[in-house]
Amino acid sequence: MAVTGGGRPANPVSVGEARPGTRHEPGAGAGTPADRAAPLPGDVPGGAAGDGRPVMVVLRGLGLGDLLTAVPALRALRHAFPAHRITLAAPAPLAGLLPLIGACDDLLDVTGPGPVPLHRPDLAVNLHGSGPRSTVALLATHPGRLISHAHPGLPLLPGPPWPVQAHERVRWCELLTWHGIPADPADLFLSPPTTAGHAPGGSAPAERPAPSGPAPSDPAPSGPAPSGPGLVIVHPGAAHPARRWPPDRFAAVAAALHHTGHDVLVTGTAAERGLARRVAAAAGLPEEAVAAGRTDVAGLAALVASARLVVCGDTGVAHLAGAFGTPSVVLFGPTPPTLWGPPEGPHAVLWHGDPGHPPGDPHAGRPDPALLTIGVEEVLDAATDLLEVTVR
């Protein structure tokens, strides 16, 4: 069943995302250029929506950051096929982003490379991985046409070879361009949310958690703590330990920014609430400064859109900051920013890896050595520079 773009997801959003090795299925091969997505041998177009429009299904069964890197490709598809009903096959909690993206009509709840429970769409587009599993899952829907990368296990399928070292936004735009659909990797910005979204389990719009209050050494105020010069989001989580900077370092950054008067908020998923609480407690922040698990994806987007600064690792919140033009300090470890970094803008990218060596393992069970070489003072210097030159 499709989840409509304007509907509220049933569960809190997961802000972690899969990395290369799960979505980038191994073994991409070469293909022959084509002017448009090629019809499949022995099949005919079909798949009309209830309103009579032809149906396009786009597979991206991954997390928050993965969806945001696919925004330029999704918009290119909308521009090229204005009469189609575009169904995004992705995890249901991401449905709250559809109105901000403005390219998809609804969402079909799919996690991973399939299966995709849809029959005979007019067009299927693989924005999930290199294949073969994601491509086979779309072939199983019996689409009239299929857009995907080439794969040696599917020799009749036209498409470009899988580009190993392409930035994720560029990868999908180049795929569409090869199939005759112009796409601009810079078309990634989201419309600001009109509300702060909904708290899980509630029906009213979620308000921003109260300001974080005074530093532990300050006297307690007689009334509500005043808001500082701007909201700063500290996001310590990531899908895998390889991309998680140590919590004590995040706490040191949060404490320093808090002491300078900023309204610091610690975000994360519901599963990361314990981590967020530990960081907040070590930074001397009250419980009200922990937003982890208290917002859905629309609420998180609203917080990021309104913030003066985001400090985080290489994870979905970094892509939200890039999509709203919110200044950010992003800490990279196993994966270089050339593959997953933010767009040009008010962003500081910290990475101490060796560009001459292959990327590390983003799924590893311990923080990447390159990530651990980033120090607290380096992050604070980058944060201070951005806070001094940007006003929101």
Side-chain angles (χ1 to χ4, degrees), residues 33-68:
D35 291 333
R36 297 290 286 183
L40 299 177
D43 226 332
V44 293
D51 56 10
R53 289 186 292 167
V55 172
M56 177 194 309
V57 61
V58 182
L59 177 59
R60 187 70 168 165
L62 299 163
L64 174 60
D66 302 273
L67 174 56
L68 294 175

Side-chain angles (χ1 to χ4, degrees), residues 117-338:
L118 195 68
H119 184 59
R120 296 185 64 78
D122 179 64
L123 177 61
V125 182
N126 186 356
L127 298 186
H128 183 89
S130 62
R133 289 195 300 162
S134 52
T135 307
V136 170
L138 288 172
L139 286 171
T141 69
H142 301 287
R145 293 185 289 172
L146 175 66
I147 292 176
S148 187
H149 287 90
H151 193 279
L154 302 167
L156 296 180
L157 182 67
W162 178 257
V164 176
Q165 293 299 319
H167 191 286
E168 192 70 4
R169 288 190 305 273
V170 174
R171 181 195 311 282
W172 304 113
C173 289
E174 289 182 345
L175 168 67
L176 297 186
T177 300
W178 190 95
H179 283 281
I181 303 169
D184 180 6
D187 188 12
L188 58 92
F189 296 101
L190 300 184
S191 303
T194 55
T195 70
H198 293 85
S203 57
E207 297 181 357
R208 194 176 89 188
S212 53
S217 59
D218 295 336
S222 57
S227 178
L231 173 66
V232 173
I233 290 176
V234 173
H235 187 91
H240 298 279
R243 292 182 282 123
R244 294 180 201 150
W245 203 45
D248 62 317
R249 301 190 198 181
F250 272 114
V253 170
L257 294 172
H258 172 63
H259 276 283
T260 59
H262 292 283
D263 181 6
V264 178
L265 202 63
V266 185
T267 58
T269 66
E272 294 166 342
R273 184 162 176 82
L275 169 63
R277 293 179 70 179
R278 291 195 301 274
V279 169
L285 304 176
E287 179 69 20
E288 291 77 16
V290 178
R294 296 172 57 190
T295 62
D296 62 9
V297 67
L300 179 63
L303 288 173
V304 171
S306 67
R308 279 200 64 191
L309 179 70
V310 173
V311 180
C312 63
D314 172 22
T315 189
V317 169
H319 296 283
L320 269 181
F324 290 120
T326 299
S328 65
V329 180
V330 187
L331 287 61
F332 282 82
T335 305
T338 53

